[in-house]
Amino acid sequence: DTAVSQTPKYLVTQMGNDKSIKCEQNLGHDTMYWYKQDSKKFLKIMFSYNNKELIINETVPNRFSPKSPDKAHLNLHINSLELGDSAVYFCASSLGGVRSDTQYFGPGTRLTVL
Amino acid sequence: GESVGLHLPTLSVQEGDNSIINCAYSNSASDYFIWYKQESGKGPQFIIDIRSNMDKRQGQRVTVLLNKTVKHLSLQIAATQPGDSAVYFCAGASDSWGKLQFGAGTQVVVTP
């Protein structure tokens, strides 16, 4: 049973396109996150939702829009894709904040913008 | 701003030896730290955490040491095994929610 799942695993698209990455967790967690990992493996928080409410919103271009239809899902929509958006995007979840509860990561979505 | 970084990008260690991975941070307000392990093609996995009111914390084969004076933490892996080959990240937080700032990662390669 996959705790945190992401679809698709690989996404190859042209510059200027709009794409979405989906994330689902079956752990009953209240908090979900999106991270971006660049080619040098540097991980950076993008967004975090707790009970469907946005609690962390880092300096991310407004072309990126997270959407949480319910506590178990946090999707990431990206408009007008650029070359610099190429990265691996990780979804994660935790029961509460990371100070009190272990954060579980999904397998990642490798986005390649051509 | 917060900056968490690692001293060595790659660490080669012989199977059975102990590994030590170092991490420096710049934000003196950081008071919570986590070490993650990331195997190839997978997401990061929690290993161990430590709060700033502690100097040392031990887990199964792992020990984290925190030196707040010099803003440095390390992860020690005892009797390193081939399954320990991965990229290891330290991450720190200074806010109440625990927004993590990650270091660049250290690649650990275990040789037979």
Side-chain angles (χ1 to χ4, degrees):
Chain A
D1 291 341
T2 304
V4 183
S5 59
Q6 298 178 225
T7 54
K9 188 167 177 61
Y10 300 97
L11 184 54
V12 181
T13 188
Q14 299 286 333
M15 248 187 342
N17 284 350
D18 303 337
K19 291 292 179 185
S20 291
I21 307 172
K22 295 186 177 182
C23 177
E24 177 181 4
Q25 53 92 6
N26 62 7
L27 298 166
H29 288 170
D30 292 334
T31 310
M32 297 186 72
Y33 313 78
W34 277 110
Y35 287 87
K36 178 181 180 180
Q37 186 171 47
D38 63 21
S39 59
K40 296 180 181 177
K41 290 203 171 290
F42 186 72
L43 265 167
K44 187 171 172 58
I45 181 80
M46 298 174 70
F47 303 102
S48 177
Y49 273 72
N50 176 260
N51 281 317
K52 296 169 51 182
E53 289 193 22
L54 183 66
I55 55 169
I56 295 175
N57 185 353
E58 284 298 276
T59 309
V60 177
N62 56 16
R63 297 183 295 104
F64 291 79
S65 52
K67 285 189 172 51
S68 183
D70 54 60
K71 282 196 326 181
H73 297 85
L74 181 61
N75 303 323
L76 184 65
H77 187 75
I78 315 170
N79 289 326
S80 303
L81 278 155
E82 300 177 357
L83 293 176
D85 297 332
S86 294
V88 180
Y89 291 84
F90 286 100
C91 177
S93 74
S94 60
L95 184 59
V98 294
R99 283 181 179 271
S100 55
D101 302 298
T102 302
Q103 191 177 52
Y104 294 87
F105 283 78
T109 295
R110 182 174 293 277
L111 171 65
T112 303
V113 182
L114 303 175
Chain B
E2 174 74 43
S3 175
V4 182
L6 296 169
H7 292 308
L8 297 174
T10 304
L11 176 66
S12 185
V13 60
Q14 199 157 12
E15 184 178 353
D17 287 351
N18 296 335
S19 304
I20 299 177
I21 307 164
N22 296 304
C23 181
Y25 62 97
S26 60
N27 187 350
S28 55
S30 296
D31 60 356
Y32 178 68
F33 303 90
I34 301 177
W35 280 99
Y36 286 92
K37 172 187 180 183
Q38 185 178 21
E39 296 176 88
S40 181
K42 296 183 179 180
Q45 179 183 8
F46 174 95
I47 301 174
I48 192 168
D49 62 354
I50 190 167
R51 301 180 194 279
S52 60
N53 60 352
M54 303 172 72
D55 297 323
K56 179 180 179 179
R57 191 157 191 230
Q58 288 183 291
Q60 189 175 12
R61 281 201 307 119
V62 294
T63 300
V64 56
L65 299 177
L66 175 63
N67 186 329
K68 294 178 288 293
T69 303
V70 295
K71 297 202 279 284
H72 179 273
L73 66 158
S74 65
L75 178 70
Q76 301 177 5
I77 305 174
T80 311
Q81 302 169 359
D84 295 326
S85 291
V87 177
Y88 289 80
F89 295 94
C90 65
S94 57
D95 64 316
S96 58
W97 186 258
K99 183 176 69 178
L100 295 173
Q101 303 287 347
F102 281 79
T106 293
Q107 175 79 56
V108 172
V109 178
V110 181
T111 57

